[in-house]
């Protein structure tokens, strides 16, 4: 008794949400994750961002690309840096910006998130910039938002923070020109880091020779070695010969969660100091998504030292976010704003 | 529901694993009971004849775990809606876990659920009594009183006992009176706030994971206590190959242990979660392909005695949220038979054994004379066409919960009639 022509997949076929981000012509519609985006598209984001870096240096720091558009910052989790740079980016594109800080408590239930969404749609918003504590929140909102609305993920749970990853790629490209041949080490709490997940995807997509992660096992995700990285537990070995060192922020609550014994021991083993940095290439750069815990993940002399490009990351963040917003709104005319 | 008192079911392939029957045989029903097999009793004049040519006639299915959401969450589902769905799925007995509101820790709640299901009349709901009062894991429930009020077994639902001393006492007390205890093995500390299997998919999507060890650590502990107390334990909803191996080892040593698995764990893996498919959010979580393969082999070997639906209907809001904030569970009464028959089509298990995992196997776990069609047995009968295809759609689903990852999927093997206590309660 074996009926023919039966479709019986073990894996249920779900809509490929990697494509949820793209319109039928392969152009960016939402920006939710690096997953599913190809090298050409990531390079286009970087090139577009390059064309916007000049805007901040002008006396009139504005271009009229998004004039008349309403962009809503929908932050279910607090943020200073990311929200501010998104706001600045939107204003430099001449959009009207609405910033909402919604306390996590009132939206811990799904229906109120959908309700919030419907209300904002009724106000004729064109774009949502979303930050939320749940992994998958940006995908959820993009799936349920009205078709004319673009969604940009400004960080969802531990899942993804794609604009941060792209500004990091922008910073690396500014300093190293090419990704081929580069060795990049990411140090710290990989397990809880949406930034690290997005960086790993972006670095691999852009052709980086080797991506390493360095952390104790308590701060590494399961099957970390299958994420496209080499895993190290020792900082000196891990940063040996690398071109780029990316330090991650260590949340204080990791101590109480039995992830680590103490900040002191963490700094002893994984804190970046000038001496340890000597294991990296002489021209290696040091990055950090901020905010820095000085004396926990890195020493002050490294954070403020000549190898640090941490403040450049922040400035480039505005240009990268302008690029993503204008591309997602379909208003980016590559010829128009090139210097 | 037809008032026919005498029913003849003829020309079907009668599969009754408890009695070792698998052949073309007619079945005769009178006054709600099976009255004869093969040849009619003398002078038998049927009020109704069902021609089961080309069909399988088997005992009504016994489902060891299905939530009906009543009492307490009637906005999700009711006893009426879910027993109707059960009848459509060929299920005539449902065991309802005690995490209702109020909790099934008093005979009154237990009797209310049982009686209401019998009054409605599509299928019987056997309440599973709470092992501890309020499922709080500190004070033992009135176990004997609960078993006298139609609770065939007891469990602490999805609230694992944190205190091993309480667990020891509960198992000892239950063993005193020969009561079987259902355990959903899970170490709550290792579960933490996880919502998916801790593996590659979880790492990629950045979702909080539940390690395999959350199940195997609990199984190790529970097996040691089963060994010590000689209480009959039934492990509910296994999800990992490692736990299965440990249970099979204990079975070989003669520890009185049985186990079930939810039908969806035999068909879905963690990969189904991509990209954040909330209909695949279940507890225990969907595991790896290797776990799925091993669980299927456990089903084939019979070390896993029962396949249950682990039915958990939800309103649509419960699944409309970012993945970690959605409610876990699948509405699965109507796919239990279909998913099990797929194992037959795939050559994992013989038809008669598949039927046994849905009827005599779970009935043995409960220690009740259900799931069999000997003379004088309740005429709880499922008749299905093993070749007929059908599609699961929200429109045709009878359960109030439409939360299933199997929507729009094609199944083969359609229930054509369900009889409960000699009454036709579903007809395709």
């Amino acid at each position: 008794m074996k009926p023919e022509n039966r479709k019986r997949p073990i894996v249920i076929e779900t809509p490929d949400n990697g494509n949820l981000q793209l319109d039928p012509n392969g152009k960016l519609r939402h920006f939710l994750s690096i997953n599913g985006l190809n090298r050409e598209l990531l390079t286009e984001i970087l090139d577009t961002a390059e064309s916007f870096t000049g805007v901040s240096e002008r006396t009139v720091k504005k271009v009229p690309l998004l004039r008349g558009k309403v962009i809503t910052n929908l932050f279910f989790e607090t943020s200073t840096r990311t929200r501010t740079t998104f706001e600045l980016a939107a204003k430099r594109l001449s959009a009207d910006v609405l910033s909402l800080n919604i306390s996590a408590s009132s939206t811990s239930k799904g229906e109120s998130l959908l309700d919030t969404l419907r209300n904002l749609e009724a106000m004729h918003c064109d774009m949502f910039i979303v930050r939320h504590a749940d992994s998958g929140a940006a995908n959820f909102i993009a799936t349920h938002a009205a078709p004319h609305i673009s969604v940009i993920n400004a960080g969802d749970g531990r899942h993804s923070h794609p604009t941060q990853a792209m500004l990091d790629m922008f910073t690396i490209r500014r300093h190293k020109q090419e990704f081929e041949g580069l060795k990049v080490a990411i140090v710290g709490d990989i397990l809880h880091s949406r930034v690290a997940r997005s960086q790993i995807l972006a670095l691999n997509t852009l052709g980086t020779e080797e991506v390493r992660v360095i952390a104790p096992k308590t701060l590494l995700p399961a099957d970390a070695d299958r994420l496209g990285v080499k895993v190290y537990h020792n900082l000196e070995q891990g940063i040996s010969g690398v071109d780029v060192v990316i330090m991650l922020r260590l949340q204080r609550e990791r101590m109480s969660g039995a992830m680590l014994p103490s900040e002191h021991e963490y700094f002893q083993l994984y804190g970046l100091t000038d001496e340890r940095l000597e294991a990296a290439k002489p021209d290696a750069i040091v990055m950090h998504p901020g905010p820095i815990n000085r004396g926990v993940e890195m020493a002050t002399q490294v954070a403020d030292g000549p190898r640090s490009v941490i403040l450049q990351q922040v400035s480039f963040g505005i240009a990268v976010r302008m690029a993503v917003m204008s591309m997602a709104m379909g208003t980016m005319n590559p010829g128009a704003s090139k210097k | 529901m037809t008032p026919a008192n005498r029913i003849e079911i003829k020309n079907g392939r009668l599969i009754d694993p408890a009695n070792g029957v698998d052949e073309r045989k007619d079945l005769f029903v009178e006054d709600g009971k099976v009255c004869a097999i093969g040849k009619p009793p003398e002078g038998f004049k049927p009020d109704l004849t069902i021609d089961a040519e080309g069909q399988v006639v088997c005992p009504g299915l016994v489902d060891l775990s299905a939530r009906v959401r009543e009492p307490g969450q009637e906005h999700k589902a009711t006893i009426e809606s879910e027993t109707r769905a059960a009848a459509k799925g060929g299920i005539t007995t449902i065991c309802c876990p005690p995490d209702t509101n109020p909790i099934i820790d008093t005979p009154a709640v237990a009797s209310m659920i049982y009686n209401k299901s019998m009054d409605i009349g599509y299928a019987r709901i056997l309440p599973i009594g709470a092992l501890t009062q309020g499922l709080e894991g500190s004070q033992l429930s009135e176990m004997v009183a609960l078993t006298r009020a139609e609770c065939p077994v007891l469990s602490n639902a999805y609230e694992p006992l944190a205190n091993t001393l309480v667990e020891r006492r509960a198992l000892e007390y239950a063993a005193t009176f020969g009561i079987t205890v259902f355990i959903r093995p899970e170490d709550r500390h290792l579960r933490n706030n996880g919502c998916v299997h801790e593996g590659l998919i979880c790492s990629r999507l950045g979702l909080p994971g539940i390690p395999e060890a959350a199940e195997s650590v609990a199984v190790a502990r529970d097996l040691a206590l089963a060994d010590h107390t000689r209480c009959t334990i039934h492990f509910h909803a296994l999800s990992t190959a490692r736990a299965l191996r440990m249970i099979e080892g204990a079975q070989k040593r003669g520890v009185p242990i049985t186990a079930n698995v939810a039908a969806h764990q035999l068909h879905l893996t963690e990969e189904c979660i991509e990209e954040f498919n909330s209909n695949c959010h279940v507890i225990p979580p969907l595991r790896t392909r290797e776990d799925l393969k091993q669980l299927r082999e456990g089903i084939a070997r019979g070390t896993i005695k029962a396949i249950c639906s682990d039915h958990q209907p939800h309103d649509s809001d419960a699944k409309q949220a970012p993945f970690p904030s959605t409610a876990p569970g699948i509405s699965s009464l109507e796919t239990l038979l279909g998913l099990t028959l797929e194992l037959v089509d795939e050559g994992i298990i013989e038809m008669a054994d598949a039927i046994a995992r849905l009827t005599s196997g779970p009935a043995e776990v409960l220690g009740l004379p259900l799931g069999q069609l000997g003379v004088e047995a309740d005429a709880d009968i499922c008749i299905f066409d093993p070749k007929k295809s059908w599609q699961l759609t929200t429109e045709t689903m009878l359960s109030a919960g439409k939360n299933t990852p199997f929507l729009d999927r094609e199944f083969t093997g359609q229930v054509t009639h369900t009889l409960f206590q000699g009454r036709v309660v579903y007809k395709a």
Side-chain angles (χ1 to χ4, degrees):
Chain A
M1 216 185 321
K2 293 205 184 272
E4 304 291 314
N5 306 323
R6 289 275 304 278
K7 210 170 91 179
R8 208 181 302 108
I10 284 181
V11 178
I12 286 204
E13 284 168 32
T14 50
D16 182 0
N17 284 11
N19 293 339
L20 175 67
Q21 306 191 78
L22 302 176
D23 72 8
N25 302 319
K27 295 286 177 196
L28 204 61
R29 216 177 133 245
H30 304 295
F31 193 43
L32 310 173
S33 158
I34 304 293
N35 191 24
L37 303 184
N38 62 24
R39 185 172 182 167
E40 286 65 41
L41 196 97
L42 297 192
T43 306
E44 189 188 339
I45 293 172
L46 297 178
D47 292 345
T48 310
E50 197 69 61
S51 75
F52 281 128
T53 48
V55 175
S56 297
E57 285 141 32
R58 297 186 203 159
T59 23
V60 180
K61 300 183 175 67
K62 265 187 195 281
V63 286
L65 286 171
L66 297 187
R67 188 151 55 199
K69 301 285 185 190
V70 180
I71 294 180
T72 305
N73 270 330
L74 208 50
F75 277 58
F76 297 87
E77 230 185 25
T78 51
S79 151
T80 311
R81 182 174 331 235
T82 305
R83 207 197 62 205
T84 312
T85 51
F86 263 113
E87 223 173 284
L88 265 177
K91 284 179 175 162
R92 286 192 182 157
L93 293 166
S94 310
D96 295 322
V97 186
L98 195 64
S99 277
L100 300 176
N101 267 321
I102 306 154
S103 81
S105 60
S106 68
T107 56
S108 58
K109 296 199 168 53
E111 55 261 55
S112 48
L113 175 52
L114 264 191
D115 282 346
T116 311
L117 208 62
R118 296 282 169 257
N119 277 287
L120 289 166
E121 279 175 11
M123 297 175 204
H124 302 286
C125 290
D126 299 288
M127 176 180 276
F128 291 147
I129 315 290
V130 180
R131 169 167 288 193
H132 197 286
D134 276 346
S135 300
N139 292 55
F140 174 77
I141 289 172
T143 310
H144 289 88
H148 68 278
I149 292 177
S150 283
V151 177
I152 310 282
N153 187 359
D156 62 329
R158 308 174 187 177
H159 173 230
S160 173
H161 193 352
T163 59
Q164 175 71 45
M166 288 315 292
L167 74 88
D168 295 333
M169 297 309 112
F170 188 88
T171 310
I172 293 173
R173 196 173 77 162
R174 268 289 176 100
H175 286 270
K176 304 288 171 192
Q177 284 76 47
E178 292 287 330
F179 289 88
E180 271 91 1
L182 284 191
K183 290 190 169 108
V184 180
I186 307 172
V187 188
D189 185 1
I190 314 289
L191 174 64
H192 298 93
S193 177
R194 54 193 171 209
V195 175
R197 280 185 178 76
S198 293
Q199 286 168 338
I200 291 167
L201 282 167
L203 286 166
N204 280 312
T205 306
L206 288 166
T208 308
E209 183 185 308
E210 192 174 298
V211 185
R212 303 175 179 178
V213 295
I214 308 169
K217 288 181 177 181
T218 47
L219 297 181
L220 285 171
D223 296 328
D225 53 329
R226 292 167 68 195
L227 296 174
V229 296
K230 275 179 91 167
V231 177
Y232 289 82
H233 303 304
N234 177 291
L235 182 64
E236 282 84 352
Q237 289 170 10
I239 63 172
S240 167
V242 300
D243 302 274
V244 179
V245 184
I246 301 175
M247 303 302 293
L248 297 174
R249 178 178 165 77
L250 185 76
Q251 307 283 348
R252 289 259 149 79
E253 62 258 31
R254 302 304 167 227
M255 309 304 155
S256 55
M259 297 275 178
L260 294 170
S262 67
E263 288 182 359
H264 176 254
E265 179 151 316
Y266 184 77
F267 185 72
Q268 292 292 314
L269 296 172
Y270 296 99
L272 191 62
T273 60
D274 275 338
E275 299 74 58
R276 286 191 165 140
L277 194 51
E278 280 176 19
K281 284 210 183 129
D283 62 345
I285 55 170
V286 175
M287 297 166 64
H288 191 297
I292 308 168
N293 288 315
R294 290 167 187 263
V296 179
E297 61 255 9
M298 68 196 327
T300 288
Q301 78 260 31
V302 179
D304 300 336
R307 314 275 198 90
S308 165
V309 296
I310 296 169
L311 290 176
Q312 290 176 33
Q313 288 175 266
V314 180
S315 330
F316 293 149
I318 299 169
V320 167
R321 285 168 180 139
M322 286 171 78
V324 171
M325 287 166 136
S326 55
M327 284 169 70
M329 295 295 276
T331 51
M332 190 58 212
N333 177 351
S337 66
K338 285 258 165 74
K339 281 181 287 184
Chain B
M1 283 171 228
T2 43
N5 191 34
R6 291 189 198 85
I7 302 171
E8 168 189 43
I9 302 168
K10 61 176 195 183
N11 303 327
R13 173 182 173 190
L14 180 64
I15 301 180
D16 179 13
N19 295 302
V21 176
D22 180 4
E23 58 193 297
R24 195 180 156 109
K25 261 191 176 171
D26 298 347
L27 189 71
F28 304 90
V29 172
E30 186 167 8
D31 292 333
K33 305 271 185 196
V34 175
C35 69
I37 298 152
K39 285 200 177 103
E42 218 165 297
F44 186 87
K45 288 214 178 75
D47 306 312
L48 173 72
T49 297
I50 297 171
D51 185 358
E53 181 67 50
Q55 305 201 36
V56 170
V57 179
C58 70
L61 314 189
V62 179
D63 187 352
L64 289 179
S65 183
R67 281 165 174 81
V68 293
R69 304 299 188 198
E70 184 183 342
Q73 290 187 295
E74 288 85 349
H75 65 286
K76 289 186 189 283
T78 61
I79 289 175
E80 173 152 13
S81 67
E82 302 319 285
T83 49
R84 267 189 80 203
K88 184 175 176 226
I91 301 163
T92 50
T93 301
I94 285 175
C95 297
C96 167
D99 51 1
T100 47
N101 182 16
I103 286 164
I104 310 176
D105 60 359
T106 58
V109 180
S111 303
M112 186 281 281
I113 293 171
Y114 174 77
N115 291 337
K116 188 160 183 185
S117 73
M118 296 306 281
D119 288 346
I120 293 170
Y122 289 113
R124 70 171 70 68
I125 300 181
L126 298 177
I128 298 178
L131 191 64
T132 59
Q133 289 180 27
L135 298 174
E136 282 169 1
S138 47
Q139 190 82 29
L140 302 190
S141 63
E142 294 184 355
M143 297 188 191
V144 173
L146 285 167
T147 54
R148 286 180 182 155
E150 312 298 342
C151 295
V153 296
L154 303 176
S155 99
N156 226 50
Y158 280 2
E159 302 294 329
L161 294 177
N163 184 327
T164 41
L165 181 60
V166 174
E167 181 170 349
R168 176 197 169 173
R169 301 286 189 233
L171 297 182
E172 277 175 339
Y173 192 80
T176 311
F177 301 98
I179 300 168
T180 298
V181 175
F182 276 30
I183 293 180
R184 162 63 219 136
E186 181 182 88
D187 184 286
R188 63 164 72 193
H189 299 296
L190 288 170
R191 153 89 183 264
N192 203 3
N193 60 350
C195 61
V196 296
H197 171 67
E198 187 177 299
L200 185 61
I201 303 297
C202 144
S203 295
R204 274 219 295 259
L205 296 180
L207 289 167
I210 304 176
E212 181 200 46
E215 184 165 291
S216 49
V217 164
V219 166
R221 183 186 87 168
D222 300 335
L223 282 176
L225 288 170
D227 229 338
H228 180 80
T229 61
R230 303 312 283 181
C231 181
T232 306
I233 287 182
H234 176 73
F235 284 111
H236 167 57
L238 284 192
S239 69
T240 64
R242 193 181 299 272
L244 174 62
R245 279 198 299 277
M246 292 159 70
I247 288 166
E248 288 179 338
Q251 286 173 338
K252 280 198 192 106
R253 295 198 310 276
V255 186
I257 298 291
T258 54
N260 77 52
V261 64
H264 53 255
Q265 289 286 2
L266 301 169
H267 294 272
L268 306 178
T269 66
E270 53 170 349
E271 292 155 66
C272 306
I273 306 286
E274 302 233 65
E275 292 272 329
F276 301 106
N277 181 353
S278 63
N279 276 327
C280 290
H281 182 190
V282 285
I283 298 294
L286 301 174
R287 301 283 185 182
T288 65
R289 283 173 186 245
E290 183 57 24
D291 289 307
L292 177 135
K293 182 168 163 274
Q294 297 293 332
L295 290 174
R296 285 176 163 206
E297 286 174 11
I299 283 291
R301 281 193 293 271
T303 46
I304 302 174
K305 216 168 178 165
I307 302 173
C308 72
S309 71
D310 210 11
H311 175 70
Q312 297 181 40
H314 284 294
D315 54 320
S316 62
D317 282 351
K319 292 286 187 185
Q320 295 283 323
F323 192 94
S325 295
T326 55
I330 295 177
S331 174
S332 49
L333 285 170
E334 289 157 80
T335 50
L336 176 61
L337 179 64
L339 288 175
T340 305
L341 291 176
E342 282 194 9
L343 301 178
V344 179
D345 292 346
E346 290 182 49
I348 308 291
I349 187 170
E350 294 297 319
M351 175 69 92
D353 291 334
I355 300 298
R357 303 291 176 268
L358 297 172
T359 58
S360 55
E364 276 173 44
V365 169
L366 297 173
L368 295 174
L370 297 168
Q372 52 100 11
L373 291 173
V375 173
E376 285 304 305
D378 270 7
D380 297 348
I381 301 166
C382 166
I383 305 172
F384 65 91
D385 183 337
K387 293 200 178 70
K388 191 161 181 201
S389 302
W390 59 282
Q391 203 182 20
L392 185 74
T393 62
T394 44
E395 293 75 31
T396 52
M397 274 180 89
L398 291 183
S399 169
K402 314 296 181 194
N403 49 301
T404 164
F406 299 108
L407 271 185
D408 301 323
R409 189 140 171 275
E410 191 134 303
F411 291 88
T412 303
Q414 188 173 37
V415 176
T416 59
H417 299 78
T418 303
L419 278 71
F420 176 54
Q421 297 190 321
R423 282 172 292 116
V424 178
V425 291
Y426 173 78
K427 191 171 179 297

